[in-house]
Amino acid sequence: MTAAVFFGCAFIAFGPALALYIFTIATEPLRVIFLIIGKASEGLKSINPDETAPSMRLLAYVSGLGFGIMSGVFAFVNTLSDSLGPGTVGIHGDSPQFFLNSAFMTLVIILLHVFWGIIFFDGCEKKKWSALLVVLLTHLLVSALTFISPHYGINLVSTYIIMVLMGIWAFFVAGGSCRSLKFCLLCQDKDFLLFNQRSR
Amino acid sequence: MIFPSRDFKVLSGFSSDLEARGVLCSPEPGTPQGRAMLTFMASDSEEEVCDERTSLMSAESPPPRCCQEARQGLEDGENAAQWRSQDSEEDLDDADRYVCSGVPGQPLGLEEELTLKYGAKHVIMLFVPVTLCMIVVVATIKSVRFYTEKNGQLIYTPFTEDTPSVGQRLLNSVLNTLIMISVIVAMTIFLVVLYKYRCYKFIHGWLIMSSLMLLFLFTYIYLGEVLKTYNVAMDYPTLFLTVWNFGAVGMVCIHWKGPLVLQQAYLIMISALMALVFIKYLPEWSAWVILGAISVYDLVAVLCPKGPLRMLVETAQERNEPIFPALIYSSAMVWTVGMAKLDPSSQGALQLPYDPEMEDSYDSFGEPSYPEVFEPPLPGSPEGELEEEEERGVKLGLGDFIFYSVLVGKAAATGSGDWNTTLACFVAILIGLCLTLLLLAVFKKALPALPISITFGLIFYFSTDNLVRPFMDTLASHQLYI
């Protein structure tokens, strides 16, 4: 267990979340507050100097990210600090991939929380109770899958599949469409380009 | 201390020192902005430190522009946190949206909206330094063994906690707390008396001695311990040069002029050093009881009509003076409207970016003692000119920094060394800070900054350490995720 393991696992687990934070939240003080508090108060919601009131989707995204980060951090940070210290992994017959598996699991949990947050908020708003139920059940399913560790293969692969499905669902719930995705990938999205120009 | 606009009188946070000398704030006569500077008074013994607990201070807006009341809060004694986020005074862009609460026919919601609008930015401007201070403290605690070793206690906490029974230990910690709090109250009252009888020079000198000790002696000790931990050799001439440069630049930045960022960095380092001293020398149970008691005292001192803090504020208001200079961390968005010159009095380390947009520039609290600044900074300059320069900023007293860091550092230092507990306390303090700012915007009067954060911090610490930690440990060791 070395610094390499420490940094590697840390970035695997928290890299995407940190990137999401830096690129989408850190620049907006209001969103940072949402992240810390978890839900916005009415007063904070109505204040935003540059744009219209933060939309429900933004709130869903930020609170999903907040919950995800907290959950990931609480689950993984003690393991991470142990990885710096002396020791041998798996000396008693456990899998030597302990840290790596924990890191990937943490990553997928964080991303899942973001997607679940978006879907859940949307379900609450549109009163789609089936969405809420599915979110709840998939969460339970993912947690139950972790019970079968150390069979990492099934555990991780199925959880990642669930994450991809949730991600696609959240994308469509948040208003994306195949067309907008195509525009984005081909850099033809005029609104996005204009927005970037403006903010410079 | 928070004051948004330069026109505002500065409320300086002042905290009486816990250990020995108190922190004296040298009142800055004159400048309406009232930059107060606070320096530490060195104590005789090396253990004693003057601690300034600062509180969030609020400032009032001057009548012409804004109908919001300006109020000077003087924070004396422990933590008087008065904070006002309403400095949303002048925003050129929204100049016409400015509403005086007294103006009939104007929607009140607009004013509140503007208030909250800047409240969010102020909250973030406070999050960053508080987070940095806590990071420094936690990093030091986790790596340098010196600060977690038990090497005696301060004279303010004479009762030992090495007792055979739990009841005795509890009693000793309560007695320690009583002694500590009475020292604080006494220093606060002493400060009020000094201020009332205008012993400004005395206070000022005291503060300079305090910051000298902090910047040189404690830095030397800290550097020595860090070098020992990493087994790095440093010869005495290099050490002398390093400490001398650090301390001298610090004194200049804090008490005179300097770049704002440097000043903020020094203030954060000073707060971290103080917090480390407290973490090292306060016995465990005493530390927690003291934290709780300080919050209660802060609440009482700020909100009670006869509280020392309130009396200080009223005195300062009567004299139309800036309140005691305190060690205050300041981060201000200075914004001028077409004004080419800046008043020298408010200079300090004021940076001048100054586009009409809000720029985060940091105002230095350190308008150090400018004896010549007594009257409005620009002699002959009309009030209107001053009003055009606006500075919206947040000033948070260092005492608040210190106690937040003590809480988080103690959480990191305790036996289990659990990161979950540390993070939970960190988040709790930030939530408390956010709520305090929100409450301030709602109530529009001075509120103490410590109670909410420390209460949340204590609740989170004990519940996480005793309930969450064993649970999460088991989950993590079996790689179960919930």
Side-chain angles (χ1 to χ4, degrees), chain B residues 102-124:
Chain B
V103 175
Q106 293 281 0
L108 216 52
L110 197 55
E111 180 184 317
E112 285 174 2
E113 186 183 318
L114 289 168
T115 297
L116 288 173
K117 171 163 115 181
Y118 297 114
K121 191 133 196 182
H122 291 174
V123 169
I124 302 308

Side-chain angles (χ1 to χ4, degrees), chain A:
Chain A
M1 299 194 296
T2 59
V5 171
F6 172 77
F7 282 111
C9 289
F11 287 134
I12 287 175
F14 299 120
L18 199 64
L20 282 174
Y21 174 80
I22 288 177
F23 289 119
T24 58
I25 295 188
T27 49
E28 293 280 330
L30 216 52
R31 296 181 198 171
V32 176
I33 296 174
F34 286 178
L35 198 77
I36 297 283
I37 291 196
K39 66 183 185 75
S41 67
E42 271 306 313
L44 283 177
K45 244 197 293 189
S46 66
I47 303 310
N48 193 323
D50 296 330
E51 26 191 278
T52 53
S55 64
M56 220 40 189
R57 282 189 217 144
L58 177 66
L59 184 59
Y61 163 69
V62 173
S63 63
L65 188 61
F67 280 121
I69 289 178
M70 283 317 291
S71 144
V73 160
F74 262 62
F76 194 48
V77 77
N78 276 328
T79 314
L80 210 55
S81 84
D82 284 340
S83 76
L84 264 180
T88 308
V89 191
I91 199 169
H92 288 296
D94 303 308
S95 158
Q97 263 48 339
F98 186 88
F99 289 121
L100 217 51
N101 174 64
S102 291
F104 278 107
M105 201 60 206
T106 307
L107 168 64
V108 80
I109 289 282
I110 294 177
L111 292 176
L112 270 173
H113 271 91
V114 175
F115 301 143
W116 282 330
I118 297 174
I119 299 170
F120 198 86
F121 271 64
D122 182 69
C124 286
E125 250 196 302
K126 303 206 175 101
K127 302 232 189 313
K128 279 189 336 197
W129 309 120
S130 61
L132 303 191
L133 201 60
V134 170
V135 165
L136 219 54
L137 288 179
T138 44
H139 196 150
L140 288 175
L141 179 64
V142 166
S143 292
L145 279 174
T146 62
F147 289 158
I148 66 171
S149 71
H151 298 291
Y152 296 149
I154 313 173
N155 187 4
L156 276 180
V157 167
S158 35
T159 313
Y160 270 87
I161 291 175
I162 294 179
M163 182 205 51
V164 168
L165 291 173
M166 289 286 131
I168 295 173
W169 188 2
F171 177 73
F172 286 112
V173 153
S177 63
C178 296
R179 199 164 144 273
S180 64
L181 186 63
K182 189 179 91 168
F183 279 163
C184 175
L185 290 174
L186 297 176
C187 292
Q188 282 171 3
D189 191 342
K190 293 206 183 60
D191 288 338
F192 179 71
L193 292 171
L194 274 175
F195 172 76
N196 272 353
Q197 287 291 335
R198 203 179 346 120
S199 53
R200 245 172 255 128

Side-chain angles (χ1 to χ4, degrees), chain B residues 83-378:
Chain B
W83 177 84
R84 230 153 142 152
S85 53
Q86 304 182 328
D87 297 317
S88 31
E89 285 240 302
E90 330 240 282
D91 189 353
L92 257 195
D93 298 337
D94 302 328
D96 34 11
R97 288 174 64 195
Y98 255 88
V99 187
C100 281
S101 43
V103 175
Q106 293 281 0
L108 216 52
L110 197 55
E111 180 184 317
E112 285 174 2
E113 186 183 318
L114 289 168
T115 297
L116 288 173
K117 171 163 115 181
Y118 297 114
K121 191 133 196 182
H122 291 174
V123 169
I124 302 308
M125 288 196 311
L126 282 184
F127 274 3
V128 173
V130 169
T131 307
L132 278 176
C133 190
M134 287 192 221
I135 286 178
V136 170
V137 168
V138 170
T140 308
I141 292 278
K142 290 282 187 190
S143 54
V144 178
R145 215 165 269 291
F146 173 73
Y147 288 103
T148 42
E149 287 163 3
K150 199 101 184 59
N151 271 344
Q153 295 179 195
L154 299 166
I155 64 164
Y156 301 104
T157 54
F159 296 93
T160 175
E161 285 196 5
D162 247 342
T163 56
S165 74
V166 168
Q168 181 74 17
R169 186 175 187 183
L170 192 62
L171 178 70
N172 281 358
S173 54
V174 170
L175 290 174
N176 281 340
T177 306
L178 284 175
I179 296 177
M180 187 74 99
I181 299 287
S182 10
V183 167
I184 289 170
V185 172
M187 299 311 291
T188 307
I189 295 179
F190 180 50
L191 185 73
V192 176
V193 164
L194 279 178
Y195 187 63
K196 264 192 155 43
Y197 290 106
R198 302 177 188 265
C199 310
Y200 297 144
K201 290 242 181 285
F202 182 80
I203 295 176
H204 192 53
W206 192 1
L207 291 181
I208 286 195
M209 292 303 296
S210 301
S211 61
L212 264 178
M213 185 193 74
L214 204 60
L215 278 170
F216 286 99
L217 184 63
F218 288 163
T219 307
Y220 170 73
I221 294 172
Y222 180 80
L223 193 59
E225 292 306 322
V226 169
L227 290 175
K228 270 189 230 170
T229 303
Y230 291 106
N231 204 20
V232 172
M234 189 185 268
D235 53 306
Y236 274 115
T238 310
L239 182 71
F240 172 75
L241 204 65
T242 309
V243 171
W244 166 253
N245 276 313
F246 180 85
V249 175
M251 288 300 289
V252 166
C253 269
I254 293 174
H255 296 293
W256 196 48
K257 300 182 194 181
L260 186 66
V261 176
L262 200 59
Q263 190 176 59
Q264 294 173 316
Y266 269 107
L267 291 175
I268 292 177
M269 282 190 267
I270 281 186
S271 311
L273 284 174
M274 273 302 314
L276 285 169
V277 167
F278 280 138
I279 293 171
K280 179 172 172 63
Y281 288 110
L282 287 180
E284 268 210 40
W285 289 22
S286 305
W288 298 116
V289 184
I290 284 175
L291 278 172
I294 283 290
S295 314
V296 173
Y297 171 72
D298 194 18
L299 196 67
V300 163
V302 172
L303 297 180
C304 282
K306 279 296 165 194
L309 187 71
R310 225 181 228 204
M311 284 174 45
L312 262 169
V313 175
E314 283 159 11
T315 315
Q317 274 179 332
E318 279 165 32
R319 296 184 195 169
N320 211 22
E321 266 175 11
I323 308 229
F324 284 151
L327 279 172
I328 303 174
Y329 175 94
S330 75
S331 66
M333 292 182 280
V334 183
W335 189 42
T336 61
V337 179
M339 284 294 292
K341 64 178 172 175
L342 213 54
D343 41 301
S345 64
S346 58
Q347 257 302 308
L350 199 57
Q351 282 182 0
L352 326 173
Y354 318 148
D355 312 336
E357 320 158 351
M358 301 271 241
E359 273 201 31
D360 290 356
S361 72
Y362 294 91
D363 182 20
S364 96
F365 72 85
E367 299 211 22
S369 35
Y370 284 149
E372 66 275 12
V373 178
F374 272 58
E375 309 310 337
L378 300 169

